């Protein structure tokens, strides 16, 4: 594929299970395309240099900064955003329930990034020490909570999930 | 904070990359993980006319592979894949140890090992690990291929000895074997570029003697492998090691001042962390 | 519900990606980018925009010459003060002179932000660089380089005040010490930067503005005045706001004027979303002050006289007046009795970003100066720093307590209530003060340096002028509460719902709170200065009570009972002790607005009641009644209410790295009656994290030429989860006698004492004074290893 400056390139993104055929300038950041082309504004943009983690989404199952990826590079990728977290019937994901119960959010701006960063790890949080869990959540800035509620929530999510699925 | 416009190329083969670089050379940047490049583009500190996105290369290995006694790492092996690989754990513990200090999980899932070495940031962990392990970069262009050994690769801050039409297609690292290793660093925040860091390799020699090699992070324009004089186990535990590291830190490192640390402080950290890493590396040796 | 740990109503939205922040509106809007001054001080000679106009997709390029009327005038000075000697505010787009690196010079509007930045990059500004003054201490000197060409000096304002006779008391004091304390520049840095979206509809002349602000009503009033239109023609919504911490209280930033202006001029919606670099160079900072203290005390450490002369860094302008140093001055005494107290400050211009309140707003500086003074004099006199504090604390029987200087609202500083000795003893107990000396010695024997530090603060909260609440009961029983102030994470949708739910006898889930929308309530002030719960909370209480009275009146008529016999419970009005008489609140609201609701299950039921009302021969609405169940009420406090707290830290200095390790952090705090403990804990924990950031990680670094050296999150070090330990929290509750709810504010509380406490703990660990903040590993290294070779 070769695209001249400011020309549009056709790409296909699977976001939360839905396939989107789009045309994007190669320089457009994935976060901008998710937000403004697809209207998925749950993914937030806090620094555009990869430090704050507000824009973290899952790309092919792994957390990644959507501000440090061109949408064109994500062509063909399977992306999951915060909008794809709650179940179709509107029931919160156990992580979301845990964040609410443990006051893991205040202004909510960093929250989607934290949820997506925690998604691959919350099930093994119980086996991690406090330091290890905090390290696993490293790279996500929160300016409101002091992280107390966030750490508690990620630790509690697996238990909530077990309770949810109990007969 | 949005990138300037660029022409975009997504080659499917290494040969196509060669061709694009032959044509656009100095006006082009290779995009692999993008975790260092894209911040620079977003801030418009660089505005290359061409971006060659190699993420579409077909049939590339996504994990390190063992060829002979050498671990080969292709251009699309992500930090996370290298860190989680069983081969890394057994053949190159030092690489796994260094990778654990690279930024954060969401960065390591995209960033590539080869890209980090090609970026040649002396404050980054992987160039230092590459230097310590005496790795070799396989470099190619439309004109052909060549190997560059670690000491010849890094020229200065963010600068390698590659020609404008060349790129690193692979990095090769000899297996660690019996050598013990350790990484120590101190950063203001977990995952930040370190104020000072060091990777250490300990190699057993005849007569229970140990050769320690250190490569520092953030302590000069380019990472350099520095060997300490041969030491005995009791030397390592005592003043001899401390003296050797101190001499090395004062004679061979070129730290600089910035807003986070002074050169003097960095040199002091280099002594402390160097001794700590050397002892841990030597300690790992004893377990073999 | 008051006092209960209610989970937050807003979370459902924020957790699912359903939050709506300013940049989430108007995806197709044109977008603005700015050319900002590269120089800290320069004359603008020429602006060549031709390159920008050639860029495909550019809709407009504007300089100061394009602005007229009020738009071309300097931006307003928000809080005038008689102490301001030379008011200076910037132009929305610089006219001739730029006074800080980052000052807006040109606005570009284009189809999207990418193109706007392309065009901005092609604009050539010719500057005549002028000498810049950055260093605060030097800027305050007579004959210093001036931050504004032609000014006689850099003094923005000066204020002094005295209680008692400081000179006399100092002359007679057995001990007099003089110390210098310095606090560096820092910044709020919320995760969401500022953002403004404006849409102008020329058919009806309506301007709609979305603004990530802490004060939407003020923005609305200002824009209406600026555009010369009726207030009703301008509506402002502060939607979900991604953190504020003070930086978004400022009114007006240039972009808040220019984006609406461009939207009207271009006839198309225009958006500006600040990027992180812009935030560092274009949004206000705070904190920098240098204090010279003289303190006199007796042999037991009782303070006989206290004087501080300080300079406050105003930055390039003083858009927010003198409020920060005024707060420092009033709140520096904290919980201590200073019979003889004098302050004298000068707010000083420098060629740096302007300053305005950031969480704590002058108080962290005051607490640092006061608490370091206490520790230093304890050390000089070989006294226990705790004993020194005990001897100086205001006692519980001394309230209301007059500090003797002017509060930030212009009235006297009078503490309404508190029990400081109890808080201190609780803290000492919790941190294990009595056993610490032994612990410290044990650690020292192992070559480890431990230190314990204490710090106390009093925080004036809940200041006026007023807030309002509009409450309306819907036909389905939903209660809507509209407050004028916006929300940036303080759980307004939950805590105000709790207050209304209690008063109206409904489930909290039935109460919907809207915030920061001038379409819903036009009068209000803003969410800052820890004032929301105290002021808006009491307004909600009043409005809910008014609605309750209305409901009782209507129900009394319908149930043929006395008004006093009607109670509201379980979402209905009923005769006390007679649940079967219950009329659902929604139905009552419909009855009170007769025959105007054709749809809905309750409408038919309501109609029956309404017929009854007519058949009685009386007017359908009784005398003084308004249709429906609704009320708008305001609360205007006479003065602030004063929360307080005591913090302690146990720290260790890592001998191998000179890093600071916070081993324990214990907080005792009191914000009067607690509406929701979940939320209060969160505020205190978050405040602590921000305080720790300000104590050891965060600092805005300028070089001598006025360029910020760390204008990114790479180098401005907000701590991650890996750097912030969980503090141990303890509460006391001293209700405020000044308001009906007995509440005090808590928003800023957690942050205030932390730098002082960390400084005291490090000073204890290192056994040497800490007189400037924040600290860093580099500073600790320089203190521990002052000799040349670092050994």
């Amino acid at each position: 594929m070769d695209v001249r400056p400011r020309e549009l390139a056709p790409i296909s993104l699977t976001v939360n299970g839905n396939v989107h055929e789009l045309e994007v300038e190669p320089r457009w950041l994935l976060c901008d395309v998710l937000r403004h082309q697809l209207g998925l504004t749950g993914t937030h943009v806090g620094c555009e240099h990869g430090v704050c983690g507000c824009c973290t989404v899952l790309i092919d199952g792994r957390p990644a900064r959507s501000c440090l990826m061109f949408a064109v590079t994500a062509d063909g990728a399977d992306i999951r955003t915060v909008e794809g977290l709650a179940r179709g019937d509107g029931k919160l994901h156990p992580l979301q329930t845990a964040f609410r119960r443990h006051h893991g959010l205040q202004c909510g701006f960093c929250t989607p990034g934290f949820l997506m960063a925690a998604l691959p790890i919350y099930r093994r949080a119980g086996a991690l020490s406090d330091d290890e869990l905090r390290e696993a959540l490293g790279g996500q800035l929160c300016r409101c909570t002091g992280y107390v509620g966030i750490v508690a929530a990620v630790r509690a999510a697996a238990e909530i999930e077990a309770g949810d699925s109990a007969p | 904070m949005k990138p300037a416009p660029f022409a975009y190329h997504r080659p499917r083969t290494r040969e196509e990359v060669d061709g694009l670089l032959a044509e656009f050379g100095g006006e082009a940047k290779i995009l692999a993980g993008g975790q260092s490049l894209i911040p620079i583009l977003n801030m418009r500190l660089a505005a290359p006319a061409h971006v060659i996105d190699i993420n579409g290369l077909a049939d590339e290995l996504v994990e390190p592979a063992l060829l002979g006694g050498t671990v080969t790492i292709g251009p699309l092996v992500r930090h996370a894949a290298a860190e989680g690989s069983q081969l890394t754990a057994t053949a190159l513990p030092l690489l796994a140890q260094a990778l654990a200090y690279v930024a954060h999980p969401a960065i390591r899932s995209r960033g590539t090992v080869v890209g980090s070495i090609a970026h040649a940031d002396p404050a980054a962990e992987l160039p230092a690990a590459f230097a310590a392990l005496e790795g070799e970069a396989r470099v190619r262009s439309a004109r052909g291929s060549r190997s560059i050994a670690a000491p010849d690769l890094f020229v200065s801050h963010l600068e390698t000895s590659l020609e404008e039409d060349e790129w690193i297609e692979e990095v090769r690292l000899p297996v660690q074997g019996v050598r013990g290793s350790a990484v120590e660093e101190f950063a203001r925040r977990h995952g930040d570029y370190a104020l000072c860091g060091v990777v250490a390799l300990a190699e057993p020699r005849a007569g229970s003697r140990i050769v320690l090699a250190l490569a520092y992070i953030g302590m000069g324009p380019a990472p350099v492998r520095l060997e300490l004089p041969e030491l005995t186990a009791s030397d390592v535990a005592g003043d001899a090691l401390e003296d050797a590291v101190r001499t090395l830190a004062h004679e061979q490192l070129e730290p600089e001042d910035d807003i986070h640390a002074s050169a003097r402080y960095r040199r002091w950290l280099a002594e402390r962390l160097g001794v700590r890493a050397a002892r841990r590396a030597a300690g790992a040796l004893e377990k073999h | 519900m008051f006092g209960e740990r209610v989970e937050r109503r807003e979370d459902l939205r924020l957790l699912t990606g359903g939050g709506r922040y300013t940049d989430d509106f108007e995806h197709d809007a044109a977008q603005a980018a700015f050319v900002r001054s590269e120089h800290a001080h320069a004359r603008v000679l020429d602006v060549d925009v031709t390159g920008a106009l050639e860029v495909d997709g550019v809709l407009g390029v504007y300089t100061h010459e394009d602005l007229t009327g009020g738009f071309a005038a300097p931006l307003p000075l928000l809080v005038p003060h008689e102490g301001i000697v030379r008011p200076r505010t910037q132009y929305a787009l610089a006219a001739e002179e730029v006074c800080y690196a980052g000052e807006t010079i040109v606005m570009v509007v284009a189809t999207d932000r990418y193109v706007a930045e392309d065009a901005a990059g092609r604009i050539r500004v010719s500057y005549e660089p002028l000498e810049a003054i950055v260093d605060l201490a030097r800027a305050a000197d007579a004959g210093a380089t001036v931050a504004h060409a032609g000014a006689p000096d850099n003094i923005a304002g000066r204020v002094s005040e005295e209680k008692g006779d400081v000179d006399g008391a100092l002359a007679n004091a057995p001990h007099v010490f003089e110390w210098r304390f310095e606090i560096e520049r820092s910044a709020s840095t919320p995760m969401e930067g500022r953002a403004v979206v404006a849409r102008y509809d020329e058919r009806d002349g309506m301007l709609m503005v979305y603004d990530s602000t802490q004060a939407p009503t003020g923005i609305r009033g200002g824009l209406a005045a600026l555009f010369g239109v009726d207030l009703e023609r301008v509506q402002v919504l502060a939607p979900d706001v991604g953190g504020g911490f003070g930086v978004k209280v400022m009114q007006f930033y240039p972009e808040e004027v220019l984006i609406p202006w461009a939207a009207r001029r271009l006839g198309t919606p225009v958006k500006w979303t600040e990027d992180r670099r812009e935030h560092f160079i274009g949004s206000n900072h705070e904190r920098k002050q240098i204090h010279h203290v003289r303190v006199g005390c007796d042999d037991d450490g009782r303070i006989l006289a206290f004087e501080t002369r300080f300079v406050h860094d105003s930055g390039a302008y003083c858009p927010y007046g003198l409020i920060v140093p005024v707060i420092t001055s009033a709140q520096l005494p904290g919980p201590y009795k200073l019979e003889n107290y004098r302050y004298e400050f000068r707010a000083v211009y420098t060629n740096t970003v302007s300053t305005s309140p950031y969480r704590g707003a002058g108080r962290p500086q005051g607490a640092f100066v006061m608490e370091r003074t206490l520790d230093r004099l304890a050390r000089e006199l070989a006294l226990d720093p705790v004993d020194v504090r005990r001897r100086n604390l205001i006692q519980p029987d001394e309230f209301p307590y007059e500090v003797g200087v002017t509060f930030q609202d212009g009235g006297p500083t009078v503490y309404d209530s508190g029990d400081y000795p109890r808080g201190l003893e609780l803290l000492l107990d919790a941190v294990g003060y009595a056993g610490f000396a032994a612990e410290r010695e044990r650690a020292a024997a192992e070559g480890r340096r431990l230190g314990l530090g204490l710090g106390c603060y009093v925080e004036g909260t809940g200041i006026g002028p007023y807030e309002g609440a509009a409450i309306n009961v819907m036909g389905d029983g939903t209660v809507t509460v509209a407050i004028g102030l916006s929300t940036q994470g303080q759980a307004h949708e939950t805590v105000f719902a709790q207050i209304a739910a209690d008063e109206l006898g409904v489930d909290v889930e039935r109460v919907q709170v809207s915030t920061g929308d001038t379409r819903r309530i036009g009068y209000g002030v803003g969410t800052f200065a820890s004032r929301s719960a105290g002021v808006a909370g009491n307004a909600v209480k009043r409005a809910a009570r008014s609605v309750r009275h209305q409901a009782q009146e209507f129900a009394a008529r319908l149930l043929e009972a006395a008004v006093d016999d009607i109670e509201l419970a379980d979402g209905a009005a009923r005769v006390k002790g007679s649940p079967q008489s219950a009329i659902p609140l929604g139905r009552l609201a419909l009855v009170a607005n007769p025959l105007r609701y054709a749809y809905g299950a309750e409408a038919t039921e309501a109609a029956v009641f309404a017929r009854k009302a007519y058949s009685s021969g009386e007017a359908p609405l009784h005398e003084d009644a308004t249709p429906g169940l609704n009320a708008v009420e305001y609360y205007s406090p006479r003065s602030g209410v004063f929360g307080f707290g005591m913090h302690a830290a146990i720290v260790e200095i890592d001998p191998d790295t000179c890093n600071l390790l916070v081993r324990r952090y214990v907080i005792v705090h009191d914000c009067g009656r607690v509406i929701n403990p979940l939320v209060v804990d969160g505020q205190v924990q978050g405040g602590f994290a921000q305080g720790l950031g300000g104590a050891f990680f965060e600092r805005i670094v300028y070089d001598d030429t006025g360029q910020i050296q760390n204008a990114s999150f790479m180098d401005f070090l907000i701590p991650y989860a890996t750097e912030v330990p969980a503090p141990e929290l303890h509460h006391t509750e001293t209700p405020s006698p000044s308001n009906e709810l007995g509440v005090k504010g808590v928003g800023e509380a957690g942050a205030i004492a932390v730098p002082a406490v960390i400084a005291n703990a490090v000073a204890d660990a290192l056994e040497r004074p800490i007189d400037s903040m924040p600290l860093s590993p580099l500073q600790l290294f320089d203190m521990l290893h002052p000799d040349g070779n670092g050994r």
Side-chain angles (χ1 to χ4, degrees), chain B residues 1 188-190 264-265 268, chain C residues 117 275 657 696 713 787 790:
Chain B
M1 235 187 239
R188 288 302 318 269
R189 296 176 299 188
H190 191 89
R264 188 171 79 89
Y265 177 36
W268 180 85
Chain C
E117 288 190 24
D275 70 28
T657 59
F696 195 64
F713 279 166
D787 54 319

